[in-house]
Amino acid sequence: MQIDLNGTPVVTRATTLAALITEQGFDAASVATALDGQFVPRQARAATSLHPGARIEVLAPMQGG
């Protein structure tokens, strides 16, 4: 299915947010996630289904000042 990941169109086989994070190589413990503009807590990712056209944001902390 095609989704939007951090503003970029992506084709994925993942059906849940947790599966997408793994598929894309993100460190699940250190990122924040949102689906269609709504924050998704880490413990809810496995139960959060994706849909065609979903807008996913995966945010990771950055060092610097």
Side-chain angles (χ1 to χ4, degrees):
M1 99 179 76
Q2 184 158 339
I3 61 165
D4 185 70
L5 177 61
N6 293 340
T8 302
V10 171
V11 175
T12 182
R13 292 177 160 243
T15 58
T16 67
L17 186 52
L20 178 69
I21 290 169
T22 299
E23 177 188 270
Q24 295 296 314
F26 291 106
D27 178 6
S30 66
V31 296
T33 54
L35 171 62
D36 295 330
Q38 298 295 313
F39 173 72
V40 179
R42 185 181 315 154
Q43 63 271 22
R45 293 175 188 162
T48 301
S49 297
L50 302 180
H51 57 84
R55 291 178 298 113
I56 311 296
E57 295 292 329
V58 179
L59 304 170
M62 295 177 63
Q63 290 186 324

